[in-house]
Amino acid sequence: MRRRPAQSSGIFRGLSRTALLILLLSHRCHAALNVADGFNITATEVHVGQGTWNPAWTLLVNYSPALQPVVNVSIGGQWLQLVFDASSAYAVVFMKEFATCQPPSLPSCYSYKEAEKHGGFHVCSENNDPKVICDTRPNDRWSCTSFLSNVVNTTPHTDVLMIDGLEYRQRGIEGLDTMMMELSGPTRHIFSWSAVPVRLLTDNLTAVTPGPMNLSLNLFEGVDGILGGSGPTLSCRNTTLWHLLLQRLNATRGWGGFAIAAMGPLCFGNY
Ligand SMILES: *[C@@H]1O[C@H](CO)[C@@H](O)[C@H](O)[C@H]1NC(C)=O
Ligand SMILES: *[C@@H]1O[C@H](CO)[C@@H](O)[C@H](O)[C@H]1NC(C)=O
Ligand SMILES: *[C@@H]1O[C@H](CO)[C@@H](O)[C@H](O)[C@H]1NC(C)=O
Ligand SMILES: *[C@@H]1O[C@H](CO)[C@@H](O)[C@H](O)[C@H]1NC(C)=O
Ligand SMILES: *[C@@H]1O[C@H](CO)[C@@H](O)[C@H](O)[C@H]1NC(C)=O
Ligand SMILES: *[C@@H]1O[C@H](CO)[C@@H](O)[C@H](O)[C@H]1NC(C)=O
């Protein structure tokens, strides 16, 4: 997944030389793989020495019905399945009240009314200030220190996301909410943060140019949003959930970057 080409020079800036990501096969992957008839895929393995990968912390990655990698994140007191996108920065949620989950009846879909009950949800006042636009200029970070009273009277803004060569239009509003992620390390541990930037979609994600077989319409089926795995440089916000996670795991201090990926529901972590 990539952002639009004009901004692609910044891809992975947020992760470079910081996150050490290890992707490991787990047993839950096989059901999702669908090998076409007529040819066989062969797998080969090469012994490269003693020892095993031994990450200090591991985050489970599963796969959505459309084979998108998803991670389990709690936002506003609701556990959500978010597609992990290494090259964007926003934590994006589809909203139950605006019917922007696919399908709209998706049971786990984020509800801002639930989030309000939970107490940590705020809508940034910048949304309704036409002089402040949400883009990636370095000195234009939304501070989000004052809030609007509700979602309904908030003006959404549009942004574009490039995914698998398809350009998507996102329309939504910027807010803050409490977030949690569970990692396994020395023990299973739930990390939590308050006042983390979140983008709430008020319209369905739409592909600007629909791809073959309407892939664009199906890519986000059964998931609750997108977790950008980049730092704040690719956003208008002053931090990102992924950046806060790396900081909490001490991954932002002097670690070399490295990643390998494997097909199937995965684990990734750092050490
Ligand atoms: C795929 O594997 C099966 C079973 O080993 C074999 O019978 C078949 O010829 C193979 N097909 C191709 C295209 O190699
Ligand atoms: C997400 O994590 C929470 C907390 O550990 C857990 O209760 C829930 O079952 C998880 N959801 C999925 C789909 O793994
Ligand atoms: C982002 O801004 C909030 C105030 O809105 C502040 O509390 C927080 O420390 C800032 N985060 C970073 C990483 O600068
Ligand atoms: C989003 O698409 C669904 C159909 O998948 C539709 O029911 C819903 O009304 C749409 N939401 C908006 C805000 O257009
Ligand atoms: C793509 O979606 C449109 C609108 O939902 C539909 O009319 C069209 O038949 C679909 N095309 C394919 C190849 O499924
Ligand atoms: C990160 O480093 C600090 C200070 O060295 C330490 O207290 C903390 O436990 C470390 N966090 C993790 C998740 O290892």
Side-chain angles (χ1 to χ4, degrees):
M1 297 191 179
R2 290 189 296 114
R3 284 188 68 89
R4 67 178 117 183
Q7 291 166 342
S8 63
S9 65
I11 286 174
F12 300 125
R13 238 184 306 171
L15 287 173
S16 60
R17 300 185 52 76
T18 57
L20 185 53
L21 302 178
I22 303 166
L23 303 169
L24 304 166
L25 269 175
S26 85
H27 61 283
R28 286 202 261 173
C29 53
H30 304 296
L33 294 177
N34 201 347
V35 177
D37 292 330
F39 67 93
N40 294 333
I41 294 176
T42 56
T44 318
E45 65 182 66
V46 180
H47 184 68
V48 291
Q50 301 301 319
T52 54
W53 296 107
N54 191 19
W57 293 96
T58 307
L59 173 66
L60 263 182
V61 176
N62 286 308
Y63 268 73
S64 74
L67 288 183
Q68 297 296 308
V70 294
V71 295
N72 187 17
V73 178
S74 167
I75 304 184
Q78 301 159 66
W79 285 101
L80 306 173
Q81 306 307 305
L82 304 184
V83 171
F84 182 75
D85 175 17
S87 61
S88 65
Y90 296 97
V92 174
V93 293
F94 309 138
M95 275 198 284
K96 182 167 275 173
E97 289 83 0
F98 288 77
T100 52
C101 283
Q102 299 297 334
S105 59
L106 191 67
S108 55
C109 194
Y110 175 91
S111 158
Y112 77 84
K113 288 180 181 161
E114 277 301 311
E116 279 172 349
K117 284 187 215 154
H118 200 248
F121 175 63
H122 298 288
V123 180
C124 307
S125 62
E126 286 93 340
N127 286 294
N128 279 6
D129 182 347
K131 294 189 296 298
V132 190
I133 52 166
C134 179
D135 68 12
T136 60
R137 278 175 295 187
N139 296 317
D140 202 23
R141 299 276 173 263
W142 289 30
S143 62
C144 201
T145 44
S146 56
F147 310 121
L148 300 172
S149 57
N150 62 52
V151 166
V152 177
N153 293 328
T154 304
T155 310
H157 61 90
T158 301
D159 197 2
V160 169
L161 182 70
M162 194 80 165
I163 299 174
D164 295 344
L166 299 174
E167 194 171 298
Y168 282 88
R169 193 183 70 113
Q170 286 183 349
R171 191 161 171 78
I173 62 181
E174 304 292 320
L176 295 173
D177 212 339
T178 55
M179 299 198 188
M180 301 196 281
M181 290 179 80
E182 180 179 335
L183 278 85
S184 107
T187 57
R188 281 173 67 178
H189 197 97
I190 293 185
F191 294 92
S192 63
W193 300 267
S194 59
V196 185
V198 62
R199 171 175 285 174
L200 309 114
L201 296 198
T202 54
D203 281 39
N204 285 322
L205 264 186
T206 50
V208 175
T209 46
M213 301 190 304
N214 286 342
L215 175 69
S216 54
L217 300 175
N218 303 329
L219 215 47
F220 295 96
E221 197 182 322
V223 300
D224 305 302
I226 303 168
L227 174 61
S230 178
T233 40
L234 293 181
S235 78
C236 67
R237 310 300 297 276
N238 73 351
T239 191
T240 64
L241 174 61
W242 193 253
H243 193 66
L244 292 169
L245 177 67
L246 296 185
Q247 283 175 329
R248 188 74 73 88
L249 299 179
N250 294 330
T252 54
R253 284 189 256 143
W255 290 10
F258 175 66
I260 55 169
M263 283 290 285
L266 307 166
C267 303
F268 58 95
N270 62 65
Y271 74 124

